Amino acid sequence: MNRPIPFSGGRPADTDRDDLTDVMQQVARGDKQAFSALYDAIAPLVFGIVLKVVRDRAQSEEVAQEVMIDLWRQAARYRSGSGSVRTWAATIAHRRAVDRVRSAQAATHREHAQAAREHTTAYDDVAEQVETRLESEQVRRCLRGLTELQRQAVTLAYYQGLTYREVAEALRTPLPTVKTRMRDGLIRLRDCMGVTV
């Protein structure tokens, strides 16, 4: 069964539909000599079909071998009423070849997508770190431009997560005053950061 596929081209010698049908029945019973005859008769056809689809000689040889193994294993499934042995083998060869091409295309697509994700991720990480650092520096600079009371109120509310009431208690300042300081401080921050409403 591990015979190389003959790639000489041309038609197999003196095998018609009835001969191959009988050969296929013998192959279905496990006759290795019958498979050898089938191999010699069908291998060039199988290889030719696979090569037209796959277009790579080495891969085509591999797929053609797989088809021949399938013919050996599936010989009992062949039904002469459904068509000739050649047609059946050609159908299996074409399906296998198309599967190989699709599999190769999918693998290539996955590799390209993974490479793009890795490239984008690396770029995004660096860009995000730079952007975050620049924004942090700008926020610190803008916070320095606030009055002490505004800076304390904004810092307690946004960096420590306190509510207006909690900020008022922490600063021992009336709630309306804290709200005014926060509003004025946020307006100054917005203007300093260049945020447009």
Side-chain angles (χ1 to χ4, degrees), residues 152-154 156-157 162-173 178 182:
Q152 287 177 339
V154 169
L156 289 171
L162 300 181
T163 65
Y164 284 127
R165 185 171 308 283
E166 292 170 334
V167 171
E169 290 172 5
L171 296 177
R172 296 186 180 148
T173 306
V178 167
M182 292 277 294

Side-chain angles (χ1 to χ4, degrees), residues 137-184:
E137 289 172 10
Q138 187 176 9
V139 168
R140 282 193 292 274
R141 183 177 50 80
C142 290
L143 279 171
R144 285 192 298 266
L146 300 179
T147 67
E148 182 63 28
L149 297 173
Q150 289 172 335
R151 185 171 45 254
Q152 287 177 339
V154 169
T155 302
L156 289 171
Y158 288 95
Y159 290 106
Q160 295 184 15
L162 300 181
T163 65
Y164 284 127
R165 185 171 308 283
E166 292 170 334
V167 171
E169 290 172 5
L171 296 177
R172 296 186 180 148
T173 306
L175 183 58
T177 305
V178 167
K179 288 182 178 181
T180 302
R181 288 179 189 166
M182 292 277 294
R183 184 190 49 144
D184 293 345

Side-chain angles (χ1 to χ4, degrees), residues 5 42-51 63-65 67-68 71 89-90 93:
I5 293 186
I42 298 292
L45 169 73
V46 166
F47 179 74
I49 290 169
V50 171
L51 184 60
V63 172
Q65 287 292 346
V67 170
M68 296 310 296
L71 292 176

Side-chain angles (χ1 to χ4, degrees), residues 64-76:
Q65 287 292 346
E66 292 170 4
V67 170
M68 296 310 296
I69 291 169
D70 280 351
L71 292 176
W72 168 259
R73 291 179 180 160
Q74 298 178 28

